[in-house]
Each structure stands twice: as structure tokens, then as C-alpha cells.
Amino acid sequence: MVNYSKDAVVEIRNYLWHKIKQDSILSQNDYLDGNGNTIVPIIPVQQVPEMTSFFLGPTSANEDNKTHIVYDKIGISYEENWTICCEQIVFTVYAIDYNKITIMRNYMMDLFRRMDESARDINAWTGKSSEFKFHSIYIADISPTQPSQEIQGFLAEEIVLEVKYSRHADISGRFI
Amino acid sequence: MESDILVQAASRLEPLMAAPKAGIIKDSIVSQISAYLYYNSHVMAEVMKNQGFKNKFNSIIYNQVEKDFGLYIDAKARINPRSLHHVYEWDRVGEQGARLFKLNKLDSESLSFKVLYDFLPSKSFAKGENRRHVFVNKASVMEAGMPLKIAPRFAERLVFESNGYTVFMPKGASVTVRRPGGPGVKNAFKMAYAHFFSSNLINESIKRSGFQRIFNSSISKALKLPADIKRVKYTFSPNGLRAQAKVAVASAFGA
């Protein structure tokens, strides 16, 4: 049975969170809810209303847990070569500290600017679902840092990634 | 125009395509190479003038840009609804079918076009409990940050909700909304538009259009040398080569 709930964007989001923790860009301990569960600070735009109170609330003595990323798909297309999917994803980084935005932007740029090499790193990550193979990831655009209109007191910056990937298929080209 | 300069430069090759005068050793190399360059120059000049090529260039690139721009604004609006809600129908921010903006293409004489935008009239009822009013110029008014004066037209007085309270205005009195749509909407669409068309996003869109691939295959077809240039000949007719170039371009790109 094909698992259609799997999504390449979620793979990238999981990989990004894994690397952020590994490289100590953010600390997982700053993102624990009242029950000690980790709230991953990279959320799809559809979940923003539920998560807003966590990221805006006074849940920590310091304010490290306010830095978070909201993502959404811009578009997805298969060209004539229908095995390769081309997808654009926009990540909006929110933080109250300009320095934190700078760190996150440069970190993501470092991680995802290298096209085939960036894709190779995700493919080599053991946490990735076996269904996907990434071919290329690069930074399509980075917007300037601006005061956010959505969350008062926060700064925001958009990073657009262009991702090319394939999903493993059977002999007739259907997903497996 | 660039094509005229190319044609003018190529015209210098015409004497070299003629048969050498008597007494000189006959050699077809000079005339053949000249004919080859002359033909290619005329193909390129014809391509730049060809209406079929212009149409393809304009439509293929514009269609992709229009699609990508719309998707970009939709995603941006979903993430930043306070800034871009005004360019969608009420309560449908980021929905493709609820857009109140539209790109327009302005063709030019040369091989280029301008992309402008227009705001469309809103057709849905404005927010509120008594949804009976259509704010037709919602997008353009909010984008411009124009203050609005709301006055009763048919009713005796204005009644509206503000911060959870129902406000009853004095009979006939009007209300001025200084920032319709909120503080974040003024020029927000214009900035997003400017960003898209000045950043790498537009380059990506042009690349994605596949125009380069179509152009490469068509131009290779058009530049394929006619058989008689490959044959050993001492004289080539400029008129004949020009006509052949024209036919080749028309066949590769359409008339």
C-alpha cells in the first residue's frame, strides 16, 4: 500500500530540524511544552494559529524559543520528464533578535545553496524516508529582513528553496 | 535594430560570394565560407524579426511568469495574511480563485515585453454580520492606503461592531477609516511585485518556462545549412540565400 501522506517538504523540514539541533543553532530544550514534549519550531503555515500561543507566550525565562520558521509550498510541477518533481518552498524565519535571523538565514543558505551536494547530504541522512531521492536543492531567493506585519515585535525573513526530487516508483512509474 | 546591423555587416560578404575574376585560380572555399556566414547571419536577423518567434517568446515566457508570480503571491499571502489579505476576496486569502490581482503583458516592437498589474473588483460581500455591502475597489483602495469615509446611504444611521461592542452612530453621521485593511497593507502588493521581478525568482521562472529548450531546437533546425552551400560552388546568390534563410526561419518558428 502506497503511503501518500509522505511529502518531500516534510522530509526537508525534518532534515533541517535535525541539522539545526546537531549544529546547535537552536536548542531543543527551549522548545518543550508544558508536558515536556518537543515542539518543532518549523511549522507549516496551516498550523500557525495553533502554534502562535507557544511561540509568543512567556514559556521561557529567556526568549530563545521565540525563533521559529513557518513554511509553505509555492508550487509544484512535473515537467515532460515526469520522474522528477520540481517544488518551490518558502520558509519564513521569525525572531525578535536580528542576530538570530542572520544566523538562521546564513545557516540555511550554507545548508541548501549547494545544489547536488545539498541533495546528496539529505539522501545520506538516515532519518530520511526511503521513498524519496533528492536531486538538487538550491536557494531561489532570499528577501531582506523586515519587521513582521504578522507578529508584532518580530523580524521576518523569507528564504525560497527550489527542490528537485523523485519518489521511488515501480516499473510502470507509479509510486511505491 | 540589432537585425539591421547584422544584415548590414553580412552584406560585406556579398562580393566574396561571387565567382573570382578570370586569371585567378578558382577556389570555392572563400565563397562557401562567405555563403555559410551570410546564410547564418540572415537566419539570425530573420529570427529577430519573425513574428512567430516573437509570439512564442512573449507567450511562453509570460505564461510561466504569470503562473509563478500568482503562486508566489498566494504562498506569501498565506504566510503574511495581514499584509496581503486585501488582494483576495474576503476570508479567502491565498486562494488562487479568489485573487483580486492580474498581471498584464504590454508587448513592444522589439523582442521584449513589459509586465504590469491591475487590481480586479471584489465581488464578495464585505466582512461583518450584515454582509450586504460589496467593497468593489477593496484591493486598490487598501493597497493605496486611501482613507475611507463611510456614510449611511439608505439607512438612517451606521451601526457596526468595534472591539466587541456594537456602536450606534448619530443619525446621518459618517465614519472615517484611516487605514483600511490595517497598517500592513499599504503598498504591500507593490513591494511583493517589485521583489519578484527584481530578484532571482523571475530568472528562475524564465528558466522554468522551457523557452531556452524550444529556442535551441528551433534555431538548430533553422541554422541547418541548405544542401547547395555544402556543394562546391564558386558563386552564391545573396538573394537566394536570403530567401532560403527566410523560409528556414518560417518553417522552424512559424510565420
Side-chain angles (χ1 to χ4, degrees):
Chain A
M1 179 78 181
V2 180
N3 185 351
Y4 289 109
S5 67
K6 298 227 169 176
D7 198 272
V9 176
V10 177
E11 300 295 320
I12 289 176
R13 175 251 202 189
N14 293 345
Y15 173 73
L16 177 60
W17 177 230
H18 161 75
K19 295 299 286 181
I20 283 173
K21 286 186 292 179
Q22 192 181 50
D23 295 334
S24 304
I25 301 298
L26 297 174
S27 168
Q28 185 171 345
N29 295 332
D30 290 327
Y31 294 93
L32 300 176
D33 67 6
N35 300 320
N37 299 318
T38 303
I39 302 286
V40 178
I42 307 169
I43 52 172
V45 71
Q46 294 79 5
Q47 282 180 9
V48 168
E50 296 98 298
M51 306 305 289
T52 304
S53 60
F54 177 80
F55 293 114
L56 304 189
T59 51
S60 170
N62 60 36
E63 292 183 321
D64 284 345
N65 68 341
K66 294 195 186 300
T67 303
H68 64 285
I69 301 172
V70 176
Y71 68 90
D72 194 16
K73 290 180 184 221
I74 294 181
I76 176 167
S77 62
Y78 279 90
E79 295 166 14
E80 283 149 12
N81 179 359
W82 49 263
T83 56
I84 296 178
C85 181
C86 182
E87 195 159 332
Q88 273 197 333
I89 312 154
V90 57
F91 289 88
T92 305
V93 181
Y94 292 100
I96 50 172
D97 182 353
Y98 179 72
N99 192 39
K100 283 197 164 55
I101 290 247
T102 306
I103 290 169
M104 190 58 78
R105 179 224 301 136
N106 290 339
Y107 181 73
M108 287 182 69
M109 199 158 63
D110 187 28
L111 206 58
F112 294 126
R113 77 181 194 286
R114 296 162 300 135
M115 304 187 94
D116 300 16
E117 302 296 316
S118 297
R120 187 201 58 192
D121 288 351
I122 296 192
N123 290 331
W125 176 49
T126 51
K128 180 184 77 71
S129 298
S130 58
E131 284 86 347
F132 295 97
K133 181 174 181 181
F134 290 90
H135 303 296
S136 140
I137 301 176
Y138 63 96
I139 308 278
D141 184 56
I142 295 182
S143 72
T145 309
Q146 290 173 333
S148 170
Q149 294 295 335
E150 298 308 308
I151 319 174
Q152 293 301 311
F154 275 69
L155 295 165
E157 174 147 348
E158 283 173 9
I159 297 163
V160 178
L161 297 187
E162 186 141 332
V163 182
K164 290 187 178 172
Y165 65 90
S166 298
R167 187 165 170 162
H168 291 177
D170 62 16
I171 199 161
S172 62
R174 297 289 304 271
F175 294 155
I176 50 175
Chain B
M1 260 172 80
E2 294 87 346
S3 59
D4 295 334
I5 297 167
L6 193 58
V7 167
Q8 202 182 348
S11 67
R12 301 287 177 97
L13 293 165
E14 286 178 16
L16 300 173
M17 295 190 304
K21 285 172 189 168
I24 301 173
I25 298 166
K26 277 195 167 185
D27 188 348
S28 70
I29 292 174
V30 172
S31 53
Q32 269 187 293
I33 291 174
S34 302
Y36 165 80
L37 292 173
Y38 190 82
Y39 175 78
N40 282 353
S41 306
H42 276 273
V43 166
M44 295 313 295
E46 281 297 327
V47 165
M48 285 185 256
K49 287 190 290 186
N50 180 272
Q51 198 53 45
F53 174 67
K54 268 188 198 172
N55 293 345
K56 271 188 184 168
F57 174 86
N58 285 359
S59 63
I60 293 172
I61 292 179
Y62 175 74
N63 289 346
Q64 187 69 44
V65 167
E66 187 185 32
K67 181 185 163 202
D68 290 346
F69 176 74
L71 293 173
Y72 171 71
I73 296 291
D74 289 349
K76 205 171 161 65
R78 287 192 293 271
I79 292 177
N80 306 291
R82 285 188 190 170
S83 309
L84 288 165
H85 69 87
H86 63 301
V87 291
Y88 293 87
E89 294 287 9
W90 299 98
D91 296 329
R92 294 177 65 193
V93 182
E95 271 186 49
Q96 188 172 342
R99 289 175 190 165
L100 296 179
F101 60 90
K102 185 177 165 294
L103 288 186
N104 290 316
K105 176 162 60 84
L106 199 64
D107 289 327
S108 71
E109 283 288 305
S110 60
L111 200 59
S112 66
F113 58 86
K114 284 183 181 171
V115 179
L116 307 169
Y117 65 85
D118 273 336
F119 290 120
L120 304 173
S122 171
K123 289 172 185 162
S124 60
F125 288 114
K127 259 184 165 177
E129 276 189 16
N130 293 323
R131 290 176 163 229
R132 277 182 295 174
H133 173 68
V134 177
F135 185 0
V136 177
N137 296 320
K138 176 193 180 214
S140 55
V141 168
M142 289 183 180
E143 174 72 13
M146 287 160 64
L148 276 178
K149 190 178 171 188
I150 304 171
R153 285 169 69 194
F154 306 111
E156 193 175 67
R157 67 182 76 233
L158 292 175
V159 180
F160 56 91
E161 284 202 359
S162 177
N163 299 328
Y165 295 97
T166 305
V167 178
F168 293 87
M169 291 295 290
K171 203 172 167 183
S174 62
V175 167
T176 301
V177 182
R178 284 190 186 165
R179 292 173 181 171
V185 298
K186 188 177 177 184
N187 291 331
F189 181 83
K190 190 179 170 186
M191 281 165 66
Y193 166 86
H195 180 73
F196 182 89
F197 284 97
S198 59
S199 70
N200 196 35
L201 293 170
I202 183 68
N203 298 335
E204 292 297 328
S205 188
I206 293 169
K207 267 193 222 166
R208 209 174 302 119
S209 72
F211 180 76
Q212 185 72 48
R213 197 178 59 246
I214 295 166
F215 175 76
N216 287 350
S217 91
S218 299
I219 199 73
S220 313
K221 200 172 152 192
L223 286 174
K224 207 172 167 191
L225 281 185
D228 66 330
I229 297 183
K230 291 182 194 165
R231 226 177 290 137
V232 176
K233 270 173 73 178
Y234 302 99
T235 304
F236 291 91
S237 152
N239 282 341
L241 291 178
R242 280 200 296 270
Q244 281 177 314
K246 204 167 185 169
V247 169
V249 170
S251 134
F253 292 96

